[in-house]
Amino acid sequence: SSESGWSPDPEFFAKRQYKKTEWGWFPVEDAFGGAGKPAIGGEWSLIDLDGNLVTNRTFEGKWTLLYFGFARCPDICPSEMVKVGKVLDTLAEQYPELAKNLQPIFVSVDPARDSLKALKEYGKDFHPSYVFLTGSPEQVQKMAKKYRVYVSKADET
């Protein structure tokens, strides 16, 4: 886009006007609508490793990075959480003001097996900035649904 604001390749995209802001280029409100809000997220409440009630409001003023997983995850969860930890360290080094406003949160999708004790043990292996949360199956299901997270328990053998 240019300073006057134009739509990229109108053959493939709706003809929209864009304006440059301090955060980047955003569509101007028009007949096609505005940028809108994503239909994701909302109010939630869970429990932290100390048994304290934690809600979405607990982290107001911070960017939250949510990771939905489970403590018995053998491959994907640990490797991805380590990657996030490396990103956090890089941000802390290069952009400390940004880093202090970023909060990584691990949400257990297996509250039946992920007790507070199990999550405390699991959390020892990851970046110290992580907040680990769990709750009743209903609380976790509600939060996962609000964030459009698909959860499925594999058959146990």
Side-chain angles (χ1 to χ4, degrees):
S1 294
S2 69
E3 291 302 319
S4 63
W6 53 269
S7 179
D9 200 348
E11 185 176 327
F12 297 104
F13 296 97
K15 292 185 178 184
R16 304 286 308 268
Q17 289 291 312
Y18 292 80
K19 71 177 178 184
K20 190 172 188 177
T21 70
E22 62 183 294
W23 303 283
W25 288 91
F26 288 90
V28 174
E29 186 81 29
D30 61 16
F32 295 106
K37 289 182 108 177
I40 189 169
E43 304 281 321
W44 54 267
S45 63
L46 294 172
I47 304 297
D48 70 11
L49 294 181
D50 295 320
N52 299 315
L53 181 68
V54 176
T55 72
N56 54 293
R57 295 190 188 278
T58 303
F59 304 103
E60 281 186 349
K62 290 193 171 230
W63 293 94
T64 54
L65 179 59
L66 298 173
Y67 190 92
F68 292 83
F70 55 102
R72 295 174 187 240
C73 179
D75 302 317
I76 303 299
C77 300
S79 62
E80 295 305 309
M81 290 175 63
V82 167
K83 288 177 190 174
V84 169
K86 289 178 181 177
V87 169
L88 292 170
D89 288 338
T90 300
L91 286 172
E93 185 180 303
Q94 297 179 10
Y95 304 98
E97 289 301 309
L98 174 66
K100 73 180 184 181
N101 289 314
L102 183 63
Q103 181 59 63
I105 301 171
F106 177 92
V107 178
S108 169
V109 295
D110 190 4
R113 292 191 290 184
D114 288 351
S115 65
L116 294 178
K117 182 180 177 185
L119 285 175
K120 280 181 186 177
E121 191 61 32
Y122 184 67
K124 290 178 183 177
D125 293 332
F126 302 105
H127 199 277
S129 296
Y130 269 104
V131 170
F132 287 81
L133 301 177
T134 189
S136 69
E138 295 79 21
Q139 285 175 300
V140 172
Q141 283 176 338
K142 281 183 186 177
M143 185 178 180
K145 185 175 181 178
K146 288 180 181 187
Y147 285 90
R148 299 178 182 235
V149 174
Y150 174 76
V151 178
S152 174
K153 191 171 182 179
D155 290 334
E156 294 183 41
T157 55

